[in-house]
Amino acid sequence: MKSLRSYSSFLLAVMLAAVMFAGNAQAQIATQAAEGNSLAKFGETFESSLRVGVKVDATRGAVKNIHATIPVPINCPEQEVLKEAEDITADVQGFGIRDVKGGEAQQLVVSIPRLNAGAEARAILTYRVRTKTILPPEETDHLVVPKKVQRDQKMYLGRSKNIDVNHRKIRDAVKEALAEVSEDATAWERIEALYDFAFDKIEYVEGENISSVEALKLCKGDCQAVSVLFVAMCRTEKIPARMVWAHEHQYAEFYLEDEEQRGQWFPIESAGTKAFGEMPIARIIMQKGDNFTVPEKKRERLNYATDYLIGLPTPGGGKPKVKYLREVF
């Protein structure tokens, strides 16, 4: 029992730290992202509302030391997130937003010391989200792969879960994709060849998340499969690339800079109609990156900072029931 109490104390400390820094976290992310995307050109803005949060009930008996997390939408150059309302019950004695290490992501963190038998606790936030479409650049010949990778970009060159950088099969795929690309091709043309290969190689079939090597082997997968294959191929060619996790969709971005070393992340569409270096559909963006770490799973590297809940039954009680909410309206 001592170890359980210690673990619960640790989780409560995590929660308190999240509440302490919640005030300016999203503003900092928005500022940093905007500074790194000075070349971005945006199209139409689409507005939507997103209700995100967690409901916990103790229908099986009283529960204590409940700790839950759920991702929330992020501010980034193409998206502005404004909190409109919150629904927090009295049983929730700690909640806040924390940054997630390993990319651009945030989570709502909830702490419920005790929930009596039959009671329900809620921590639900309603956001107004304004997301812009991304227009393709007018000129691309001057865009190059960065010669000197910045510190915060190095994570987008290495391996991560499902992204098999420098794997023999990925190297073979890169070679095949670039076989007919001329030696004097621009960086844009070379990366577009990688994109065309990944998009055309994978037959769209709904399914579970798979690795880039599995995608090549099966030649089937959904938007996630196309995205991880493209990212793995880019990184194998020393091109910064990363996953983008939107509401009910995944796509990817690659990074280039101009002659003044101003950089930009360019998106690629991973399902439906091809779109390279642009994003004609505005979707709610939840996270950017694919190598996250969270305090609750210190030894794991996560493609996506997922939902999480832990709670301890009281004597005679049972496990809590949880419902995660992600509702667009």
Side-chain angles (χ1 to χ4, degrees):
M1 293 301 293
K2 182 178 179 181
S3 62
L4 288 176
R5 286 196 297 270
S6 298
Y7 185 59
S8 299
S9 298
F10 162 74
L11 292 178
L12 182 57
V14 171
M15 180 61 242
L16 292 175
V19 173
M20 185 180 300
F21 293 107
N24 60 3
Q26 288 214 12
Q28 290 176 345
I29 282 186
T31 300
Q32 293 168 359
E35 290 174 352
N37 286 266
S38 57
L39 303 180
K41 296 183 182 299
F42 302 117
E44 188 175 355
T45 299
F46 292 85
E47 291 197 5
S48 56
S49 291
L50 174 67
R51 186 178 294 115
V52 59
V54 59
K55 290 183 180 179
V56 184
D57 68 57
T59 55
R60 298 169 179 151
V63 187
K64 63 181 181 179
N65 298 334
I66 299 169
H67 175 81
T69 68
I70 184 171
V72 296
I74 62 170
N75 279 294
C76 56
E78 66 270 38
Q79 179 168 279
E80 179 185 16
V81 179
L82 303 170
K83 187 175 74 172
E84 287 190 325
E86 57 183 43
D87 177 12
I88 312 293
T89 59
D91 295 299
V92 177
Q93 295 188 13
F95 75 98
I97 304 297
R98 74 176 180 197
D99 295 341
V100 181
K101 294 182 179 180
E104 296 180 25
Q106 294 190 317
Q107 290 176 316
L108 170 64
V109 187
V110 178
S111 176
I112 307 170
R114 181 182 175 86
L115 193 60
N116 292 328
E120 177 189 80
R122 299 185 306 278
I124 303 170
L125 302 179
T126 301
Y127 291 102
R128 190 65 176 170
V129 185
R130 300 187 180 109
T131 310
K132 301 173 184 176
T133 60
I134 300 176
L135 304 176
E138 296 177 1
E139 300 289 340
T140 60
D141 291 353
H142 65 300
L143 298 173
V144 297
V145 177
K147 293 181 179 179
K148 184 179 180 180
V149 178
Q150 300 299 318
R151 183 177 180 181
D152 61 349
Q153 294 173 359
K154 289 183 178 179
M155 71 179 82
Y156 303 125
L157 287 173
R159 294 184 182 182
S160 61
K161 183 179 179 181
N162 290 331
I163 298 176
D164 310 291
V165 180
N166 288 323
H167 189 284
R168 176 179 57 84
K169 291 186 180 298
I170 300 298
R171 292 199 305 269
D172 289 345
V174 170
K175 184 177 180 180
E176 182 179 347
L178 298 178
E180 297 184 6
V181 177
S182 64
E183 293 184 2
D184 60 350
T186 64
W188 189 270
E189 291 168 337
R190 291 176 64 84
I191 298 171
E192 188 169 15
L194 300 181
Y195 169 65
D196 288 341
F197 178 92
F199 194 97
D200 296 339
K201 187 75 171 179
I202 307 302
E203 177 187 355
Y204 189 90
V205 177
E206 291 283 353
E208 299 295 324
N209 289 351
I210 60 177
S211 72
S212 53
V213 169
E214 290 174 318
L216 277 175
K217 180 180 178 180
L218 298 172
C219 293
K220 292 182 180 180
D222 56 19
C223 52
Q224 182 269 348
V226 174
S227 299
V228 294
L229 177 56
F230 173 77
V231 171
M233 293 174 73
C234 283
R235 292 182 183 177
T236 297
E237 281 289 281
K238 310 300 183 185
I239 302 162
R242 65 185 180 185
M243 295 287 291
V244 178
W245 305 87
H247 179 66
E248 298 183 342
H249 186 57
Q250 298 92 45
Y251 58 96
E253 293 178 326
F254 61 96
Y255 188 86
L256 294 177
E257 62 184 24
D258 65 8
E259 60 274 10
E260 298 178 9
Q261 297 184 324
R262 295 181 303 168
Q264 180 181 338
W265 287 101
F266 295 94
I268 60 100
E269 182 59 280
S270 56
T273 303
K274 280 186 177 181
F276 177 73
E278 61 178 305
M279 185 51 61
I281 301 175
R283 303 179 180 90
I284 296 177
I285 299 168
M286 301 299 292
Q287 299 178 16
K288 293 189 176 189
D290 45 77
N291 200 11
F292 297 104
T293 58
V294 295
E296 298 82 7
K297 299 180 180 181
K298 285 187 174 181
R299 298 182 180 180
E300 285 190 55
R301 293 284 181 169
L302 307 174
N303 264 163
Y304 182 76
T306 56
D307 308 331
Y308 176 87
L309 181 134
I310 187 171
L312 302 177
T314 61
K319 294 182 179 180
K321 293 180 64 177
V322 58
K323 180 179 181 180
Y324 298 102
L325 299 177
R326 271 174 289 268
E327 302 171 350
V328 178
F329 61 97

